Amino acid sequence: MNRSDVIVVGAGLVGLAAARRLADGGARVLVVESTRVGAEASSAGAGMLAPQAEAQPDSPLLPLALRARDHHLELTPVLEGETGMSLGLSRRGSFEVAFTEEDEAALRSRLAWQQASGLPIESLSAEEIREAEPNLSPAVRFGLYLAGDRRIDNALLVRALAASAVAKGAAILAGRPVSGLAIADGRLVGVRAGNETLHAPVVVNAMGAWAGLLAGDPWPPAVEPVRGQLISFDVAPPPLRHVIASPRGYLVPRADGRLLAGSTSERAGFDKSVTAAGMRYVLDVALEIAPVLADQRIGDAWAGLRPGTPDGLPFLGPGALPGLFHACGLFRNGILLGPLVGEMVADLVLGRRPSVDLGAFSPSRFAPART
Ligand SMILES: Cc1cc2nc3c(=O)[nH]c(=O)nc-3n(C[C@H](O)[C@H](O)[C@H](O)COP(=O)(O)OP(=O)(O)OC[C@H]3O[C@@H](n4cnc5c(N)ncnc54)[C@H](O)[C@@H]3O)c2cc1C
């Protein structure tokens, strides 16, 4: 274990996808995780695979996100075949709904540019939406249908990726917080974990919201935690079949019978508390979309930390030291993007050309200019 080719720090979706690919490529790979596999955002998230939902025209994120959605469709059956698990990948699209004039204007503007870009998106009248989802609020006035959107059980996806990575030869060391990079004679030689140095000439930072905290990195990525709070309802039979999003939040039905409602977007440092104000916000979102939920039992509530970045784009690629790579900053789209970008950063490590140009996501874009 102390003789690896690559150390991946962080066992979220990104780190596990990278480790799986590296092991498949013949590298001796060690994943070092401070607590347990999938302990953070990758299990906390809502599991929407929604490349068009938050896309901005001309953003480099859109082609990456569309490719990432297709990648899930390819990867899921492979992982299900390898592990015997069912990952709850839905084949249904999603609805975006408007309640106010302002909501409708925002959706119509999205409809216009996405149609002009040839993306699959349709507008629906209130009657058409309620025909598809009779439990939606009668206050819905307009909506969009995104046929290509999907959802997956992200907690199960994490477990399947971990099992597959291990089956391919990756080792996972859980319960071992990495404190920083190990550098000898000016060269990266591994990471420090407690009193120990774990040796490898290559380190991949897949630390999610904590990615900026790797001591010894001359240009730590500008990643900031953005808290999101979620509620799950235990509802049988499920009142909705599709993911339904409003400009304020969303409802996500799960194959296991739960209905998730989310989410807040708060800058509260590394505090993962579930708060009264957060719950009020999420319940308002849920009841605005589907008032029928007012009588339903709340099953659980939790919070996770999204890895936010100053420009909303991830940090993917080489870092400031030879042998250091970043695979972090996936913000609101890491369930969607994680499996693909983990593999693409692994490809860079293996000296292969990634399937999408990662230039726009270079970690050096916020680095101080060299003098
Ligand atoms: C409420 C909420 C809803 C979301 N919904 C969606 C959604 O529907 N669709 C979507 O695409 N995305 C969604 N996201 C975003 C998505 O969850 C994240 O972008 C994604 O999970 C990030 O993955 P990651 O592997 O980078 O980070 P993480 O899953 O956070 O993994 C990072 C890992 O690094 C470990 N680590 C940190 N520091 C150290 C250290 N010093 N040493 C060792 N290990 C360390 C952590 O313990 C953790 O396990 C949501 C996020 C939240 C919070």
Side-chain angles (χ1 to χ4, degrees), residues 9-15 32-50 154 176-179 206-211 213-214 226-230 250 252 263-264 302-307 327-338:
V9 188
L13 275 181
V14 181
V32 188
E33 163 57 46
S34 58
T35 57
R36 57 192 163 73
V37 168
E40 300 293 345
S42 295
S43 299
M48 291 174 287
L49 307 177
N154 38 297
R176 292 292 290 278
V178 167
S179 53
M207 293 161 62
W210 295 263
L213 304 182
L214 198 56
V226 181
R227 182 168 70 193
Q229 301 188 44
L230 284 169
Y250 47 76
V252 180
S263 176
T264 59
W302 65 94
L305 300 178
R306 305 177 186 93
C328 54
L330 275 62
F331 193 33
R332 303 172 68 90
N333 288 300
I335 309 296
L336 170 66
L337 299 173

Side-chain angles (χ1 to χ4, degrees), residues 48 50-56 96 110 113-114 331-333:
M48 291 174 287
Q52 289 165 244
E54 289 169 46
Q56 300 300 321
E96 302 232 352
R110 175 117 53 91
W113 78 258
Q114 294 200 357
F331 193 33
R332 303 172 68 90
N333 288 300

